[in-house]
Amino acid sequence: MMCSLFIEDDDDILLHSEHGVLGHGRTARTQDEVDPSLASAGRQPLVPRPGMVVMDHAESFALIRGGHLDATILGAFQVSAQGDLANFWLPGAVAGAIGGAQDLAFCARRVVVAMQLLPRPRRFVNRLDLEMTAPRCVDRLVTDIGVIDLEDGKAIVRELVPGWRLEDAQRLTEVELVAAPEGIAEVTLKSDRDDLWNAA
Amino acid sequence: MINKVVESAAKAVADIESGAMIAFGGFVGVPGVPSTLIKAIAERGLRDLTIIACESGRGRAGAQSYGTRRGDQPYIPEPEDGVYPVGYLAELGQVSKAITTFSSINNPNADGPLEAGVRRGDVEIELIGQGSLCERLRCGRAGLGGVYTPVGAGTKIGAGKDIRHFDGVPHVLETALRPDFAIISAYQADRFGNLIYRHGARTTNPVVAGSGKVTIVEVEEVVDYLDPQHIVTPGPYVDRIVLSDRRLMVR
């Protein structure tokens, strides 16, 4: 959800909230802008935008399942080198939280995982230890240390944060990392909503 | 004259008995939860309910804190102390089975009401993804036996279910849900039970509508006329209409 802060209002990127809102505008900034019936799936109040459409949950998941979404960005507990995703069942849990993640992971055309590699071990592994959400679905990892693409079982490092080298990143994972053929770029972030980013 | 309006929520749910299977519309955290009806059902003090809902892992406290406050961003001015999520029924020990997509609060240090029930051994959970849950309910409404979906094949969710291959891709058979009662919320109704919804409060409500043998809706307003071209849920799916306690848009 934080990703939406990096989208400009005139970017014509249609954001899809699983509970049935497509193409909404930014989050509301003042109380006057708040409509009690319009919120993101994470309860952020949203403002409408021309082109926005609301639909019921079944239609919303038909969009997802039918492969009509260009991309999805999901969180993960664990990802394997083959792109297997685990994000719904914590170790030792008696229950899970799968929500819309499985439909997205199986059916979106491109699956991007946003996760942190630094604080916990065994996030990016050769074989999943946790219950799998979907097999071979993850195309890209956007992490706290850089961007890694998963292509044909290879983990290709495209970007790293300033000051990091491939060997630094390699210490965080058992998966063999490969430098992108065009070289590893430095991560740059751009948002005009730094106030929101910092507040989060 | 057709008039499906019932004078109170208590009267509308008076024939729900212990052991009933009830599907609920709504998605905790966003508008559209049939809170008035959930409270009325809870007040009947039933037992052994099977609940079907998108989100039922959180009780009242969890529903209120869902979504963290960030900076000075405005928040939805819901009268939060008036929200009764589906998980409230689990919190009161009235639930013996939940078919749901969020059964956990995903906190390794605390249990939600369903998780606590599983640890006690008196609650069973059937976890399923939102897309599949919606199709199972839609099948119930539409008179279908089930659907094959690729989602869940080869995972814990698809385990034990019938598998067929279509174009070489494994699909899981998800069977229809036909609950005893369907409990939903909408924005406006007319006396025929035709319904419209507002913005993101639509959620699973039109999907759950008509899945049950009896469908009960709470609305913010009953109006004389709805534009037929804008009606989302046709009246025949709806049996009873009550006014919601939580009238966010109509003042």
Side-chain angles (χ1 to χ4, degrees):
Chain A
M1 227 138 23
M2 299 296 291
C3 313
S4 63
L5 300 179
F6 292 86
I7 296 171
E8 311 289 338
D9 279 355
D10 55 0
D11 266 352
D12 265 4
I13 291 170
L14 300 181
L15 296 174
H16 175 254
S17 253
E18 63 187 2
H19 64 300
V21 184
L22 174 71
H24 57 76
R26 56 176 172 73
T27 50
R29 288 171 194 163
T30 65
Q31 211 61 33
D32 288 347
E33 285 184 340
V34 172
D35 178 324
S37 61
L38 186 57
S40 71
R43 211 186 192 189
Q44 315 274 342
L46 300 171
V47 296
R49 186 170 86 148
M52 184 178 94
V53 55
V54 294
M55 65 200 92
D56 68 49
H57 244 88
E59 196 68 57
S60 179
F61 278 85
L63 269 185
I64 293 169
R65 212 184 310 99
H68 306 286
L69 289 193
D70 293 321
T72 183
I73 301 175
L74 297 167
F77 300 144
Q78 199 172 55
V79 171
S80 83
Q82 291 74 40
D84 302 331
L85 170 70
N87 73 351
F88 80 104
W89 197 281
L90 283 168
V94 295
I98 199 159
Q102 193 163 47
D103 295 272
L104 286 163
F106 266 85
C107 300
R109 284 191 220 142
R110 182 166 167 76
V111 176
V112 176
V113 161
M115 70 178 188
Q116 293 178 306
L117 292 180
L118 275 176
R120 295 197 194 103
R122 296 199 62 74
R123 303 304 296 277
F124 185 38
V125 294
N126 284 322
R127 228 175 255 279
L128 293 184
D129 306 321
L130 308 180
E131 284 294 343
M132 180 171 69
T133 307
R136 297 175 181 272
C137 61
V138 179
D139 298 295
R140 167 168 281 194
L141 297 178
V142 177
T143 76
D144 45 352
I145 58 120
V147 177
I148 303 167
D149 280 340
L150 304 183
E151 291 171 12
D152 307 322
K154 284 205 183 72
I156 301 166
V157 179
R158 299 251 179 245
E159 296 181 27
L160 284 173
V161 291
W164 278 62
R165 296 161 305 166
L166 187 66
E167 47 270 41
D168 303 321
Q170 186 62 74
R171 274 187 223 109
L172 300 179
T173 174
E174 65 186 24
V175 177
E176 188 191 343
L177 300 177
V178 184
E182 70 278 10
I184 300 175
E186 196 167 270
V187 171
T188 54
L189 289 177
K190 177 176 78 72
S191 170
D192 65 344
R193 301 308 325 279
D194 281 345
D195 50 335
L196 289 183
W197 179 252
N198 292 332
Chain B
M1 188 177 95
I2 296 174
N3 185 3
K4 297 179 180 173
V5 179
V6 177
E7 65 200 46
S8 71
K11 199 168 168 192
V13 304
D15 60 344
I16 302 181
E17 300 294 345
S18 287
M21 178 187 267
I22 314 174
F24 295 88
F27 188 80
V28 164
V30 302
V33 173
S35 171
T36 309
L37 288 165
I38 290 167
K39 179 163 174 274
I41 293 168
E43 282 168 357
R44 286 189 42 74
L46 304 172
R47 290 173 46 248
D48 289 330
L49 297 176
T50 294
I51 58 171
I52 304 168
C54 214
E55 214 275 16
S56 46
R58 288 165 197 276
R60 289 196 75 197
Q64 282 160 33
S65 63
Y66 186 52
T68 48
R69 292 180 187 278
R70 292 190 169 127
D72 295 318
Q73 273 184 279
Y75 264 73
I76 305 161
E78 277 182 309
E80 294 201 332
D81 51 2
V83 180
Y84 290 85
V86 178
Y88 181 53
L89 299 170
E91 212 165 40
L92 295 176
Q94 299 184 358
V95 173
S96 59
K97 182 172 181 186
I99 302 172
T100 187
T101 81
F102 291 103
S103 56
S104 161
I105 58 172
N106 252 347
N107 179 347
N109 304 312
D111 279 339
L114 286 176
E115 293 169 297
V118 173
R119 285 195 211 275
R120 282 195 311 270
D122 52 24
V123 172
E124 181 194 342
I125 290 173
E126 187 178 333
L127 189 71
I128 185 161
Q130 276 175 41
S132 301
L133 179 68
C134 289
E135 289 305 316
R136 291 180 71 183
L137 288 161
R138 207 188 67 76
C139 285
R141 179 181 76 219
L144 300 172
V147 291
Y148 281 97
T149 171
V151 178
T155 74
K156 186 183 183 84
I157 306 294
K161 295 175 181 170
D162 187 37
I163 300 278
R164 261 191 78 174
H165 285 71
F166 296 90
D167 292 332
V169 178
H171 284 57
V172 179
L173 174 64
E174 293 289 1
T175 53
L177 289 169
R178 191 87 172 102
D180 299 308
F181 292 88
I183 304 294
I184 63 170
S185 91
Y187 173 45
Q188 289 175 325
D190 62 16
R191 64 184 174 88
F192 301 94
N194 295 313
L195 303 178
I196 63 166
Y197 303 85
R198 253 191 80 83
H199 281 326
R202 190 178 298 203
T203 65
T204 61
N205 289 298
V207 185
V208 172
S211 65
K213 294 167 194 138
V214 175
T215 294
I216 311 172
V217 62
E218 66 177 77
V219 296
E220 299 205 8
E221 203 170 25
V222 178
V223 296
D224 291 337
Y225 176 80
L226 289 173
D227 185 338
Q229 301 187 85
H230 293 161
I231 290 166
V232 177
T233 296
Y237 293 140
V238 175
D239 299 285
R240 301 170 197 163
I241 303 161
V242 299
L243 275 180
S244 176
D245 290 342
R246 302 172 62 254
R247 304 174 77 185
L248 301 177
M249 298 312 298
V250 183
R251 295 177 202 275

